[in-house]
Amino acid sequence: MLARNPSPPGTRLVTILQPYIPTYRYPLFEHLGRNLAAHGLELVVAHGGPRGALAARQDSVLGPWSQPLRCAGVSVGRLRLQARTSMRWARRSAVIVAELASTNLDTYLLALQRSTPLMLWGHGRAAVTKENPLDRSLEVWLARRAAHILCYTDSGRINLQKYGISQDRITVVRNSTDTRALSAEALSLTDTAVEKFRKERGVTSARAACFVGALHSSKRIDLVLDASRLVAEQLPDFQMIMAGDGPLRDEVEQRMSNQREIRLLPYADRRGLALIGRTSRLMLMPGRVGLIAADAMALGLPVITTDWPLHAPEREYLDVKFCDTVAQDPRQIADQLVRRLSDERWLKEAGDQARLAALNLSVENTSRRMAEAIVGIAEHAVLSAP
C-alpha cells in the first residue's frame, strides 16, 4: 500500500477509520476531503486491507487521503474482532470518525479517551445481521460516549433515539453512491458503444434483467439462478446479466453450462454499470439490498426484491412505485419477472419514477451533511479546550 504525503506541522486532521476502501467510497471521500479543506481541515482515511470474502470482491482502491494501518484479527467463537493501530492518529486529529460496530477493539479505547472527539458512523441499528443482545448493548454504550453519530438513514436515527441518544447528536447523511456521475455516464453512452457491449457479452435479448453485487450467499445467488431458469422456460429470449465477484463465482460458472440464459461479467466499474443499465430492463436483488439501490435508481432500473430480513438500510430508498417485493421463492420471483418484463408501460413508468427519486441521492449531498457535522464537532472542541 502507498502512504499519503505527510501533512505540514500544525495541520488539523480529520481521521476516518475504515476496514479498507472499496471503490464505491472513493467519490465520497474525494468530496468530503474538499468540503473539509474549505474549513481548514485535512481528511485522512486510515485503513487496513480487505480480508476473506471482502478480498474476493477485488474492489479495493487507494486515494490521496489513504493512510495504511497495521491490523490484527482475533476470533472469539464465531465473532471476528479487529484491532488497528489507530490511537496515534487519534492523538494527532481534531476529530476521529470510527464505525459504529461492536467488533473493532480500538473503538472502545477511542471512546474512553477524552483528548479527541469521537464520531461514529454506520447503520445505527442491526440490519445485515440478526440482532444480538450483546452487540446491541456494546454499540449503545459506544453511541452514548460518542460526540456525534452519522447514521446512514432515518431508521438508524429512530433506533438510536430509543436508547436515549438525543436527536441533536445524530445526523442522517443519506448514504449514497456517485449517482450523478453514474447517470451522466449512462446518458453519454452511444448506441454503438451499447451494441459493442452486447456483442462482446453475448446479450441478445430485449428483455434482459440484471443482478449486480457480490457473489455471496447474503445476496441469495441461489434465488437469482433458480428464478432465471424458470423465467427462461416461459420467455425463451430472456437473459440474466450477473456482474460481480466473490466466493460463489465457481458455482455460478458451473450452473452456466445448463443455464444458457446467464451472462456472467466481472466486477462492474462505473462504465460497466452504465452499460449494464442501458442493456437491462430491470434489476433483480433477492438477497441483501444495499447501496445498489441508489445505483439502480440512477440508471432508471425498476427493482424486484424479496422479503429477505437482512437488507441494508438503503433498502428504504426503494419505493413501491418502482420496486416489487415478493416472497423468497424462485417460482414467485420468476412469475413477477415474467409479468414485469412483459409490461412495457410499467417498465417505462417505473423507470421514470426511479430516476426521479434518485435526484435526492448523491455523494455530494452525503459528503456535505457529513462535513457539516464534523466541522461542528471540531469547532466545538476548540471552543471547549481549556
Side-chain angles (χ1 to χ4, degrees):
M1 290 185 178
L2 298 176
R4 50 182 283 281
N5 292 325
S7 303
T11 302
R12 300 177 70 211
L13 304 180
V14 171
T15 300
I16 296 182
L17 300 176
Q18 289 280 276
Y20 80 108
I21 304 172
T23 302
Y24 72 86
R25 282 297 185 208
Y26 190 98
L28 174 64
F29 292 140
E30 280 289 279
H31 284 284
L32 182 58
R34 288 194 287 268
N35 288 337
L36 292 175
H39 295 273
L41 297 167
E42 180 182 332
L43 175 66
V44 175
V45 182
H47 60 90
R51 299 171 183 269
L54 294 177
R57 297 181 185 181
Q58 300 184 15
D59 67 340
S60 177
V61 296
L62 298 175
W65 18 257
S66 296
Q67 178 58 54
L69 293 180
R70 291 193 304 273
C71 300
V74 58
S75 295
V76 180
R78 298 177 62 183
L79 189 64
R80 180 70 176 175
L81 302 176
Q82 298 290 330
R84 299 166 295 199
T85 55
S86 58
M87 292 306 295
R88 63 186 291 260
W89 288 99
R91 289 190 292 269
R92 296 180 56 186
S93 302
V95 176
I96 192 156
V97 184
E99 310 103 308
L100 177 51
S102 64
T103 54
N104 295 315
L105 297 177
D106 49 337
T107 308
Y108 298 102
L109 297 176
L110 294 169
L112 290 170
Q113 60 85 34
R114 292 297 186 182
S115 60
T116 303
L118 171 66
M119 299 179 69
L120 299 171
W121 78 319
H123 295 167
R125 64 178 177 86
V128 299
T129 58
K130 294 180 180 179
E131 186 171 66
N132 178 291
L134 177 59
D135 285 341
R136 180 182 64 233
S137 297
L138 292 171
E139 290 183 8
V140 168
W141 183 86
L142 289 170
R144 287 173 176 166
R145 297 191 68 89
H148 202 82
I149 301 165
L150 305 169
C151 277
Y152 285 2
T153 64
D154 281 314
S155 64
R157 172 187 58 79
I158 293 169
N159 183 65
L160 288 171
Q161 286 183 261
K162 290 193 308 185
Y163 295 103
I165 311 299
S166 61
Q167 184 169 340
D168 61 359
R169 292 179 54 223
I170 306 170
T171 295
V172 177
V173 300
R174 296 274 287 172
N175 196 29
S176 181
T177 55
D178 197 349
T179 53
R180 294 176 184 176
L182 177 59
S183 178
E185 184 80 41
L187 290 172
S188 72
L189 292 172
T190 64
D191 291 342
T192 300
V194 175
E195 285 307 310
K196 180 183 178 184
F197 172 81
R198 282 182 169 275
K199 184 176 181 180
E200 290 176 347
R201 298 302 183 180
V203 180
T204 58
S205 176
R207 292 192 289 192
C210 67
F211 164 89
V212 179
L215 302 181
H216 186 272
S217 58
S218 65
K219 298 292 188 179
R220 295 307 306 272
I221 303 301
D222 57 324
L223 291 178
V224 176
L225 296 171
D226 291 345
S228 295
R229 175 179 53 80
L230 293 170
V231 174
E233 292 175 358
Q234 300 180 65
L235 301 176
D237 64 334
F238 168 77
Q239 289 179 308
M240 172 61 72
I241 303 169
M242 299 182 69
D245 213 333
L248 296 182
R249 187 174 185 86
D250 288 346
E251 180 179 331
V252 176
E253 290 176 341
Q254 291 172 7
R255 291 281 292 268
M256 287 173 62
S257 61
N258 295 318
Q259 292 189 231
R260 300 299 178 87
E261 75 278 3
I262 301 295
R263 295 292 182 269
L264 181 59
L265 281 58
Y267 172 84
D269 58 13
R270 182 189 298 161
R271 181 174 177 82
L273 192 52
L275 285 163
I276 291 169
R278 286 284 301 271
T279 308
S280 308
R281 305 308 307 277
L282 57 77
M283 182 177 289
L284 173 63
M285 293 296 295
R288 180 189 300 170
V289 171
L291 275 171
I292 192 62
D295 291 330
M297 292 160 63
L299 292 169
L301 288 177
V303 176
I304 293 179
T305 186
T306 71
D307 55 2
W308 176 248
L310 301 178
H311 288 303
E314 295 83 6
R315 167 67 177 85
E316 299 167 35
Y317 301 157
L318 298 178
D319 190 273
V320 294
K321 295 177 181 177
F322 52 87
C323 177
D324 292 336
T325 304
V326 298
Q328 299 168 59
D329 174 75
R331 173 58 67 184
Q332 292 194 43
I333 296 170
D335 289 347
Q336 194 68 3
L337 279 166
V338 170
R339 177 179 169 227
R340 291 311 196 185
L341 287 170
S342 303
D343 189 341
E344 194 64 36
R345 178 177 177 181
W346 181 85
L347 288 169
K348 182 181 184 308
E349 292 179 352
D352 290 343
Q353 290 292 335
R355 289 189 187 90
L356 183 62
L359 297 177
N360 294 319
L361 293 172
S362 69
V363 289
E364 290 87 350
N365 288 339
T366 303
S367 63
R368 174 181 54 79
R369 295 183 184 107
M370 291 179 70
E372 288 174 355
I374 291 169
V375 169
I377 294 301
E379 291 179 348
H380 181 266
V382 170
L383 295 174
S384 302

